[in-house]
Amino acid sequence: FTCPPNRDDLQHEVKELKKQLQQKNDELQHKDDLLNQVQKEKLERVVEITQQIAKEKEEKLELKQLREMDNRENLALLAQVSKEKDHLQQQVEELTAQNADLTKRAEDLPESWVVSCNEV
């Protein structure tokens, strides 16, 4: 037969158990704080990466728009140059025809109308 523990022993044991429980609670709270900090840092990193991706997408879109604008400007310039080239080609053809006509007319002149450089 064993004697039941006395009241002081029980109070001491309860006090010791409460102390251990508080230590465990403190440890759990510390771990919970660490976990919250890690989750906060991860969330901040996700936000940072998301913002970086959005910025890069915006920059790519701006570059694409600039390229499209450059392409439109280049096409407009090309059309203008092509039009000017066609106009110049037409002028060359007209001048060539005028030259041929003048040459033919000069050949058809009588010999007496031809003046040599020495007589002028």
Side-chain angles (χ1 to χ4, degrees):
F1 175 76
T2 61
C3 292
N6 67 30
R7 184 175 172 88
D8 286 343
D9 289 341
L10 286 175
Q11 283 180 339
H12 180 70
E13 191 175 333
V14 166
K15 191 176 180 182
E16 191 62 35
L17 288 173
K18 282 184 177 180
K19 185 179 175 183
Q20 290 175 10
L21 181 61
Q22 185 60 46
Q23 286 176 342
K24 292 290 181 189
N25 280 339
D26 289 347
E27 288 175 20
L28 285 174
Q29 184 62 48
H30 180 67
K31 288 180 181 179
D32 194 39
D33 290 346
L34 288 176
L35 181 61
N36 286 339
Q37 181 64 29
V38 167
Q39 288 175 336
K40 180 183 173 190
E41 290 171 3
K42 282 184 177 180
L43 183 59
E44 288 171 352
R45 184 70 179 133
V46 166
V47 168
E48 183 181 314
I49 291 171
T50 302
Q51 289 172 340
Q52 182 66 29
I53 290 171
K55 182 180 174 185
E56 289 174 4
K57 283 184 178 180
E58 186 176 324
E59 289 172 354
K60 284 181 182 179
L61 179 61
E62 288 175 6
L63 285 174
K64 180 181 177 188
Q65 290 171 341
L66 286 174
R67 277 194 300 269
E68 289 173 354
M69 194 169 68
D70 284 348
N71 286 343
R72 284 191 297 272
E73 289 174 358
N74 287 344
L75 287 174
L77 286 173
L78 187 61
Q80 181 181 351
V81 166
S82 178
K83 184 177 177 181
E84 290 175 8
K85 179 186 170 197
D86 290 346
H87 179 69
L88 290 173
Q89 184 65 37
Q90 181 182 358
Q91 287 180 333
V92 166
E93 290 171 3
E94 289 172 2
L95 290 173
T96 302
Q98 287 177 7
N99 188 33
D101 181 53
L102 289 175
T103 302
K104 173 145 180 37
R105 287 171 48 195
E107 290 172 354
D108 290 346
L109 288 175
E111 249 338 283
S112 61
W113 283 37
V114 177
V115 178
S116 75
C117 291
N118 293 333
E119 294 176 11
V120 174

